[in-house]
Amino acid sequence: MDSFLAWIELPVGVWLACSAVLMLGAFVQRATGFGLAVIGAPLLLMLEPRLVPVVLVLFGFTISLMMVRHYWHEVRLDTIGVALIGRLPGNALGIWLLLAAPMVMLEKLIAVIVLFAVLVTLCRFQLPVNRFTLFMAGVLSGVFGTVAAIGGPPIVLLMHGFPPDRMRGNLAAFFILTSLLTLLTLALAGQLSVWHFKLALTFLPAVLLGNAVADAVAHRLDTRLLQMASLALCTLAALGLLM
């Protein structure tokens, strides 16, 4: 145990708490199509700020790979292509914030991003889907995704009118590509280290377990109730960061 703790460079209590957060986030994401980063970012920031955003981006990529194989036939590159172009300036702005802003400001920004994600999920605004809105959603997604690994809400905002399977498939494909882009951006900025990959490896069983449990039982649960409970937890965590 001592050698394990020395390897991961985390107290065992913090490691266990982070594992539980990631397992819950993976469960909610698999059950509802959205939620790993929204749940994980504020809670992990309280437990171990060094994990945000890298570990969440890594597992966002992992969960998206698991999801996209179920909905590959629903993916439309013309839908996500313009948004992907918007991610480029958005990622650049996001990495500038990570490097230039003090931690206290980043905590407040991440809290605001989480609350925005909750608002998007609850209110389901209907916006026109065109090249301009897709590009702007991509820019915001780049900023949010690089700072807090929460790049989904701006895209979800535009896809609310899509059939559920089409939305899940396009979101999963978008997250796969943008996660790779974000990891490259973080690496070029010196924000990605071997330590992050070591930690992610130790957390992988918890993420896979959360995903597997969701596969087994999610169809028996009230998805809306599960989503409301997870959003309430996210809101409390975000408000805690703002205080």
Side-chain angles (χ1 to χ4, degrees), residues 41-151:
L43 295 176
L44 290 182
L45 199 61
M46 294 176 179
L47 293 166
E48 178 48 76
R50 293 178 295 169
L51 299 180
V52 181
V54 176
V55 168
L56 288 172
V57 175
L58 287 170
F59 284 125
F61 174 77
T62 303
I63 296 296
S64 296
L65 278 179
M66 294 177 182
M67 290 183 64
V68 79
R69 62 191 178 91
H70 294 291
Y71 307 109
W72 182 251
H73 60 286
E74 297 287 352
V75 176
R76 301 290 184 272
L77 292 179
D78 57 331
T79 300
I80 62 176
V82 178
L84 288 172
I85 295 172
R87 282 284 300 218
L88 298 175
N91 274 33
L93 180 56
I95 203 65
W96 176 79
L97 286 170
L98 271 181
L99 295 175
M103 177 55 68
V104 64
M105 182 179 296
L106 288 175
E107 288 180 354
K108 307 303 182 190
L109 178 59
I110 289 172
V112 170
I113 293 171
V114 171
L115 293 175
F116 173 75
V118 171
L119 182 66
V120 167
T121 307
L122 288 174
C123 296
R124 299 184 177 274
F125 301 109
Q126 288 287 353
L127 294 178
V129 180
N130 53 48
R131 289 182 176 273
F132 176 76
T133 56
L134 284 168
F135 179 82
M136 293 308 299
V139 172
L140 289 176
S141 176
V143 176
F144 294 178
T146 306
V147 171
I150 308 177

Side-chain angles (χ1 to χ4, degrees), residues 180-210:
L180 292 173
L181 178 60
T182 298
L183 288 173
L184 177 61
T185 304
L186 291 167
L188 291 174
Q191 300 296 302
L192 186 62
S193 69
V194 174
W195 178 78
H196 289 106
F197 287 96
K198 288 197 302 185
L199 260 294
L201 187 62
T202 68
F203 292 138
L204 182 59
V207 172
L208 294 178
L209 178 60

Side-chain angles (χ1 to χ4, degrees), residues 4 15 95 97 134 166-167 170 197 212 218 220 243:
F4 173 73
W15 181 84
I95 203 65
L97 286 170
L134 284 168
R166 185 180 175 192
M167 184 174 77
N170 281 280
F197 287 96
R220 303 176 186 173
M243 293 179 181

